[in-house]
Amino acid sequence: MQMVVQNAGSGERWAAHKHLRFEKLENLPAQEFLYVLLGRIRVGIYSEGDSKVCDRVLNEGDFAILNSGHDVESLHDETRYIALKQGPYRKGEKVPL
């Protein structure tokens, strides 16, 4: 597992992307768990075909489990959230949508 604590100001964005599957877990998507410690984030959720499906706003204490493409935007000046995903990070494993 890999864990990152993100600190962000209002309007900071993480571009839409998805994570490549692990060879040994080829029938399972790479998953990511987001938990908001402080502030708010907007999470864009994408289909397996890489089309945007919807946006969800997460507030303090909210979480999301993602298994498809997504983007993240901070909606508060002092946002902090935890991102937990299968690891370790592999160079080039983030694929832009």
Side-chain angles (χ1 to χ4, degrees):
M1 298 299 280
Q2 173 182 325
M3 185 176 105
V4 175
V5 176
Q6 296 281 5
N7 293 300
S10 182
E12 287 189 54
R13 295 190 56 155
W14 288 261
H17 65 279
K18 61 184 175 183
H19 302 278
L20 297 177
R21 296 174 186 269
F22 285 83
E23 285 182 31
K24 293 183 180 180
L25 300 173
E26 134 184 347
N27 295 320
L28 297 172
Q31 296 179 331
E32 188 164 352
F33 171 84
L34 303 177
Y35 178 79
V36 181
L37 296 167
L38 180 68
R40 283 186 338 179
I41 60 175
R42 181 202 50 78
V43 179
I45 301 170
Y46 292 74
S47 70
E48 286 295 318
D50 300 339
S51 298
K52 191 162 192 176
V53 175
C54 65
D55 287 312
R56 292 290 184 253
V57 173
L58 302 181
N59 297 295
E60 287 180 35
D62 290 345
F63 67 90
I65 299 173
L66 306 165
N67 64 0
S68 63
H70 54 279
D71 63 63
V72 179
E73 178 182 10
S74 172
L75 300 177
H76 190 271
D77 283 336
E78 294 181 15
T79 295
R80 178 177 293 148
Y81 69 94
I82 294 172
L84 180 65
K85 68 180 193 80
Q86 293 151 323
Y89 176 79
R90 299 164 292 157
K91 184 178 180 182
E93 70 96 24
K94 240 187 198 183
V95 179
L97 299 183

